[in-house]
Amino acid sequence: MKLLTHNLLSSHVRGLRPGGGFPLQIQASEVRVRPVPFNAAFVARLVPRLRWAALLEAAESLGHPSELPPEPAADYEGDESFLRRVHHILLEVEVLEGVLQCPDSGRRFPISRGIPNMLLSEEEA
Amino acid sequence: MDKEASQLERDHIHSVYEKIAPCFNDACYKAWPKVQQFISEQERGSLIADIGCGNGKYLHISSQVYKLGCDYCFPTVESARSEGHEVTVCHSLCLPYRSECFDAVLSIAVIHHFSTEERCMRAIKETARILRVGGQIMIYVWAMEQNRRRFEKQDVFVPWNPSPPSCSSGEPCPRGVQKSILHKDKELALNQPCHKLDGTSEKELAVRRQLKIDHHPKQGAFCQPQNERRPGSSLQRAVSERTPTTQSRQQTWLRYHHVFKEGELAELIDCHIPELYITQSYFDHANRCMIAEKTEMWKI
């Protein structure tokens, strides 16, 4: 599970307050860093789609402090150094084993071989 | 009603796909060109969700977009993961994504597995939820009216043979063989008479669609679903009527499909999903196909 994927994931356990299922807290037992070809335009297009605080928190929780600013600068599109740091944390850091925990309900979703299992029972959904 | 429908889907879709996953090699099945085109036309940096991705047939298309696949079937998701794709396991009625975060969504050969109209509608609404305003969804479902033939009924069990005759166990099947198997499966479903269910028990009426079963007397063993012995349900009674033959050398798995009449999918969206506006509707290789755009809803 890449951190870009994590930034899109949310718990939908029944009864949560709006937005209460995001961001999922990561408890990783195995993390992998693997190079991915860099594409500045691709990353720049992703930046405004991200929940920035959640990304920083996720990176921190994996022991990969991202050296990213609290918010993207206004001219981030032209800042290759910034885009490379975003690229690294979004696409090159993967959680292979661990757990995602819903912040409101505490429900835990396992990650196995890089695959989050987000299935809920019929009672939970 | 919803619990019965859900159980039906578990018995006749999910459990079947789990069993056939090792041999359901999507690489043997050609990706629909118009689906490939839809993905390729998305802007660079787009986020695309493939709901019911199987083992990732569409996830390798275009390196300019970020694709996230999901499926209920863990073995097929693992297969997609082994190809390096980003995937999750989930149910398409409860997608584990935040709202309005995707630029495009694929729902290819998924909606036709839902056993009630209400669940079809919920599945489409859920895909619309994760789509941003202005984003597009592409939906493919099996059509009732085919070019050369038509299904006699809309609710059918379609056989799938996990052991094509020219493949040895565990080896990937040549493309041509699998394509012919797929074609053969559809031929079986199309040619066979449907057995009307007897009785109209309250439980049967509670499931909105009567299920008719395509039964090929020479096909051989029909793999029995789990938990089939539930008295009182004509649905389960019909399922249990299938009997194995001792002469069978191959097992056949039946997957439930609701095949869509012309206009049915469009009506479902127009009447029940106002947040989607249909921009294209066409027929493609025995599929009813639709592209719709997410519109902004205003509360008055």
Side-chain angles (χ1 to χ4, degrees), chain A residues 54-68:
Chain A
L55 177 64
L56 299 187
E57 182 185 328
E60 199 73 38
S61 72
L62 297 186
H64 284 260
S66 56
E67 299 176 352
L68 291 172

Side-chain angles (χ1 to χ4, degrees), chain B:
Chain B
M1 172 172 69
D2 198 60
K3 276 197 170 180
E4 282 223 2
S6 178
Q7 185 65 52
L8 163 72
E9 290 157 16
R10 275 198 297 276
D11 288 345
H12 301 291
I13 299 148
H14 303 311
S15 65
V16 174
Y17 274 111
E18 281 185 8
K19 290 177 176 69
I20 69 177
C23 212
F24 195 80
N25 184 355
D26 259 347
C28 294
Y29 294 91
K30 187 179 174 184
W32 300 121
K34 289 189 176 179
V35 180
Q36 294 179 320
Q37 181 184 351
F38 177 82
I39 298 168
S40 300
E41 288 176 349
Q42 300 302 315
E43 286 183 22
R44 180 186 298 172
S46 291
L47 298 169
I48 301 179
D50 185 351
I51 311 303
C53 65
N55 57 10
K57 178 164 61 180
Y58 295 111
L59 295 177
H60 69 277
I61 296 168
S62 180
S63 60
Q64 300 301 303
V65 297
Y66 189 79
K67 301 162 294 289
L68 192 46
C70 66
D71 205 291
Y72 189 95
C73 178
F74 205 96
T76 56
V77 170
E78 284 192 304
S79 180
R81 177 69 191 176
S82 71
E83 298 293 320
H85 301 307
E86 280 290 283
V87 283
T88 65
V89 176
C90 67
H91 197 292
S92 48
L93 293 184
C94 186
L95 296 172
Y97 306 124
R98 40 185 181 90
S99 297
E100 299 191 348
C101 64
F102 286 98
D103 298 286
V105 175
L106 298 176
S107 175
I108 309 301
V110 173
I111 302 296
H112 59 207
H113 285 312
F114 286 102
S115 58
T116 68
E117 183 181 7
E118 194 259 347
R119 288 169 76 80
C120 285
M121 181 188 69
R122 281 169 53 194
I124 300 174
K125 278 190 88 68
E126 184 64 352
T127 59
R129 178 184 69 77
I130 66 170
L131 191 58
R132 66 162 174 83
V133 173
Q136 293 183 310
I137 179 173
M138 171 176 266
I139 302 175
Y140 268 50
V141 293
W142 276 21
M144 184 178 186
E145 303 92 345
Q146 304 285 325
N147 280 335
R148 291 179 292 130
R149 293 186 178 87
R150 53 176 288 161
F151 290 96
E152 288 189 25
K153 301 292 178 183
Q154 284 192 268
D155 295 287
V156 295
F157 285 90
V158 179
W160 190 88
N161 190 336
S163 303
S166 54
C167 291
S168 56
S169 172
E171 291 183 7
C173 304
R175 182 183 297 269
V177 174
Q178 278 289 33
K179 282 180 77 171
S180 71
I181 294 296
L182 178 64
H183 180 70
K184 181 187 169 193
D185 289 343
K186 280 202 174 181
E187 290 284 351
L188 286 169
L190 291 169
N191 287 335
Q192 302 313 310
C194 298
H195 299 278
K196 190 175 180 181
L197 294 175
D198 294 326
T200 52
S201 69
E202 285 190 18
K203 260 194 177 176
E204 178 188 343
L205 289 173
V207 180
R208 290 182 61 189
R209 295 193 184 120
Q210 280 192 321
L211 298 188
K212 319 298 181 185
I213 300 173
D214 287 334
H215 178 93
H216 187 354
K218 296 179 184 177
Q219 186 62 33
F222 291 96
C223 295
Q224 303 297 323
Q226 297 170 359
N227 305 320
E228 74 171 287
R229 304 292 175 191
R230 291 197 306 178
S233 163
S234 59
L235 159 62
Q236 292 300 335
R237 199 162 59 239
V239 167
S240 66
E241 283 171 3
R242 298 170 299 172
T243 54
T245 68
T246 54
Q247 295 175 349
S248 167
R249 281 177 284 178
Q250 297 173 353
Q251 286 184 326
T252 297
W253 303 91
L254 301 183
R255 294 171 298 161
Y256 168 79
H257 288 71
H258 173 82
V259 292
F260 281 74
K261 290 181 177 177
E262 185 176 5
E264 183 179 353
L265 182 61
E267 185 180 338
L268 189 68
I269 293 174
D270 285 341
C271 294
H272 300 290
I273 309 172
E275 60 268 42
L276 288 181
Y277 173 74
I278 298 169
T279 56
Q280 288 184 55
S281 181
Y282 56 93
F283 183 86
D284 183 13
H285 292 86
N287 293 287
R288 296 256 169 251
C289 316
M290 191 144 296
I291 297 176
E293 187 173 305
K294 174 87 172 275
T295 59
E296 193 155 8
M297 301 294 294
W298 298 92
K299 289 187 180 178
I300 301 173

